[in-house]
């Protein structure tokens, strides 16, 4: 598949998204942009959230992770499942009862202005970095397989990618995204299914023969419980996954904004539970694809693609799909799946960042009615520019597997949110609100320090994804130390 063919495919795909945007963004109102008029069918949100949660990171980086870590990522995914249930039955009732636009408004009602702003800042940093990770991944694939052939700089590739997202979200916002996510999830799942089908055919295996093969057994270990000191031990991975989900879904404006477009709490909970079951199954299919890719690469002696002179496992899937002779069908569905997976999370991230900044920082709901739409549109442009700058920066500083890097960053940035919401929900105390910044900063700095300690200095203990719950626990303890007496006012719990 030539770079020209790929570019034409991308162009056709975005024309389809623009058509959806035209019909869903006709009103061009802030109500539709932020809440989709609270009229989204729950099953539509659930299906679309699969693609948004998996994203381009899962689409490429999870299969690329199999060689080094086998199926250990499934331990994290089992934790995700429990985290989704906690989100559905603990956090969603709070948000619906308070009828919030930004979920961080809960912190203002519960503790005060400083806590509210801390929550919003934590989300802003977390989501900018998370969205940039995902956009970086699709950008390096487009660069490697399309734009390098035309000597187009990486910076132009990134700018073009984000410009396309801005074009189809600037009117409809979350209302558009609920529908485009559904389409993008479909493309992604079809792509993975067809890739597995054609690779099995090339290897002359049935699916059952693949699962029974000695080659598959090299990659298929799921549970790692031999050495607690190892980073990927089951307990550490499971708890880390559970708290990552609570934070990156339940305490994240991006994912919750979609749930808050459902008609009522019951629909939102049905959405969350059904989505969590499907997500576990789909992630396992991605792991199977990862094993197949490495088996196929070994049999046909396909070298690991290089990026800046270094092997990059994240690029193995596109290398095989586009350049290994699997046929035009796999190449087309791969590119559609990649684009869909990457943009289904990036577009909602851009919309949620716009929403959070408008509500949490600019106080848009207190501005004159005539100015609100223009404020939202200017903010949407500003958030696009921020993402462009961060993604370009990643090219020069990122040296790890993308999904591993994403989970590490979550351990630092979501900890204060976890501590604040936990303290608000599970205690009746107020806090000395002006000191919460000190508590959060101290917790993050301690966790950063701990993560930098070599394993040999900790008796061989490798610090892993447990950094997130530890960060949240330290924040909780800090809030306990600055607690104040409960007040007789609505606290939201």
């Amino acid at each position: 598949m030539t770079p020209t063919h790929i570019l034409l495919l991308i162009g056709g795909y975005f024309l389809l998204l623009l058509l959806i945007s035209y019909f869903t963004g006709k009103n061009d109102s802030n109500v539709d942009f932020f809440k989709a008029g609270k009229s989204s069918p729950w099953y539509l949100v659930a299906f679309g959230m699969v693609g948004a949660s998996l994203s381009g990171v899962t689409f490429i980086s999870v299969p690329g992770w199999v060689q080094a870590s086998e199926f250990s990522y499934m331990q994290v995914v089992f934790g995700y499942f429990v985290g989704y249930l906690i989100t559905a039955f603990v956090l969603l009732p709070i948000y619906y009862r308070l009828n919030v636009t930004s979920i961080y408004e809960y912190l203002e009602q519960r503790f005060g202005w400083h806590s509210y702003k801390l929550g919003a800042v934590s989300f802003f940093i977390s989501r900018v970095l998370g969205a940039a990770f995902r956009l970086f991944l699709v950008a390096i694939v487009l660069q490697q397989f399309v734009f390098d052939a035309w000597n187009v700089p990486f910076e132009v590739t990134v700018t073009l990618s984000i410009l396309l997202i801005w074009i189809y979200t600037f009117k409809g916002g979350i209302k558009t995204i609920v529908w485009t996510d559904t389409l993008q999830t479909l493309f992604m799942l079809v792509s993975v299914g067809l890739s597995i089908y054609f690779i099995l055919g090339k290897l002359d295996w049935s699916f059952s023969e693949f699962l029974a093969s000695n080659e598959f057994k090299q990659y298929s270990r799921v549970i790692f419980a031999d050495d607690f000191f190892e980073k990927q031990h089951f307990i550490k991975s499971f708890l880390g996954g559970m708290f990552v989900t609570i934070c990156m879904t339940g305490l994240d404006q991006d994912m919750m904004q979609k749930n808050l477009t459902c008609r009522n709490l019951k629909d939102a909970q049905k959405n969350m539970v059904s989505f969590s079951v499907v997500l576990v199954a789909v992630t396992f299919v991605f792991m199977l694809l990862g094993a197949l890719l490495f088996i196929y690469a070994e049999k046909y002696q396909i070298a690991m693609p290089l990026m800046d002179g270094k092997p990059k496992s994240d690029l193995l899937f596109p290398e095989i799909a586009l350049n290994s002779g699997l046929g035009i069908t796999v190449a087309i569905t791969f590119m559609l799946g990649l684009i869909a997976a990457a943009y289904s999370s990036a577009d909602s991230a851009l919309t949620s960042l716009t929403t959070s900044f408008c509500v949490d920082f600019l106080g848009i709901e207190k501005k004159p009615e005539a100015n609100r739409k223009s404020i939202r549109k200017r903010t949407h442009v500003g958030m696009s520019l921020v993402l462009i700058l961060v993604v370009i920066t990643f090219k020069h500083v990122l040296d790890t597997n993308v999904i591993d890097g994403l989970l590490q960053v979550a351990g630092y940035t979501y900890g204060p949110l976890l501590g604040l919401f936990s303290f608000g929900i599970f205690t009746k105390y107020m806090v000395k609100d002006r000191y919460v910044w000190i508590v959060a900063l101290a917790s993050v700095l301690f966790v950063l320090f701990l993560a930098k300690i070599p394993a040999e200095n900790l008796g061989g203990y490798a610090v892993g994804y447990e950094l997130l719950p530890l960060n949240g626990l330290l924040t909780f303890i800090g809030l306990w130390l600055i607690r104040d007496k409960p007040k007789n006012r609505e606290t939201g719990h």
Side-chain angles (χ1 to χ4, degrees), residues 481-492:
L481 295 176
I482 62 168
R483 68 189 185 279
D484 209 346
K485 294 179 180 180
K487 294 183 178 179
N488 293 324
R489 66 185 181 95
E490 175 65 30
T491 60

Side-chain angles (χ1 to χ4, degrees), residues 56 58 72 174 196 319 342 357 391:
T58 305
S72 63
I174 196 67
I196 291 175
E319 176 68 25
F357 201 85
V391 174

Side-chain angles (χ1 to χ4, degrees), residues 136 140 143 154-155 307-308 390-399:
F136 170 75
I140 63 174
Q143 188 68 35
F154 179 76
E155 291 75 10
M307 180 180 175
D308 297 330
V390 177
V391 174
I392 291 172
T393 301
F394 275 178
K395 184 176 188 296
H396 303 287
V397 302
L398 195 64
D399 61 356

Side-chain angles (χ1 to χ4, degrees), residues 64-222:
W65 205 12
V66 168
Q67 184 182 45
S69 303
E70 300 185 55
F71 279 30
S72 63
Y73 182 58
M74 287 305 300
Q75 300 176 133
V76 181
V77 175
F78 296 146
Y80 287 171
F81 179 77
V82 176
Y84 288 128
L85 296 182
I86 293 172
T87 298
F89 296 104
V90 176
L91 293 171
L92 278 176
I94 294 172
Y95 303 146
Y96 267 86
R97 182 166 66 249
L98 297 179
N99 193 30
V100 294
T101 299
S102 165
I103 63 175
Y104 309 111
E105 293 174 88
Y106 163 78
L107 296 175
E108 182 174 35
Q109 297 184 42
R110 181 65 177 84
F111 295 125
W113 185 87
H114 290 281
S115 298
Y116 172 37
K117 296 304 177 185
L118 174 61
V121 168
S122 296
F123 163 74
F124 186 81
I125 296 172
S126 302
R127 184 45 60 186
V128 165
L129 293 176
F133 267 115
R134 294 172 169 92
L135 283 165
F136 170 75
L137 189 58
V138 72
I140 63 174
V141 172
L142 292 175
Q143 188 68 35
Q144 180 101 349
F145 296 96
V146 181
F147 294 108
D148 272 348
W150 296 328
N151 297 315
V152 175
F154 179 76
E155 291 75 10
V156 175
T157 303
V158 173
T159 302
L160 178 63
S161 297
I162 296 176
L163 176 63
L164 289 170
I165 295 172
W166 179 84
I167 288 172
Y168 75 82
T169 60
F170 83 102
K171 280 190 175 182
I174 196 67
K175 186 173 183 179
T176 296
I177 285 164
V178 166
W179 286 94
T180 57
D181 275 1
T182 302
L183 176 69
Q184 290 167 157
T185 298
L186 178 63
F187 278 138
M188 183 184 65
L189 297 182
V190 169
S191 173
V192 173
L194 287 177
S195 296
I196 291 175
Y197 174 79
F198 281 104
I199 293 175
L200 285 173
K202 193 79 170 180
L203 293 169
D204 198 24
W205 276 343
S206 67
F207 187 68
S208 59
E209 287 172 337
F210 160 57
L211 295 179
S213 68
N214 290 327
E215 290 88 343
F216 175 64
K217 291 175 183 176
Q218 299 176 41
Y219 302 104
S220 61
R221 185 182 176 191
V222 174

Side-chain angles (χ1 to χ4, degrees), residues 45 71 92 106 129 190 235 253 268 277 281 295 327 335 350 363 369 382 403 415 425 436 446 450 454:
V45 176
F71 279 30
L92 278 176
Y106 163 78
L129 293 176
V190 169
I235 293 176
Q253 175 66 23
V277 173
I295 293 170
M335 286 309 304
L350 179 57
E369 180 72 31
I403 193 165
I425 293 168
V436 296
F446 179 82
L450 182 63

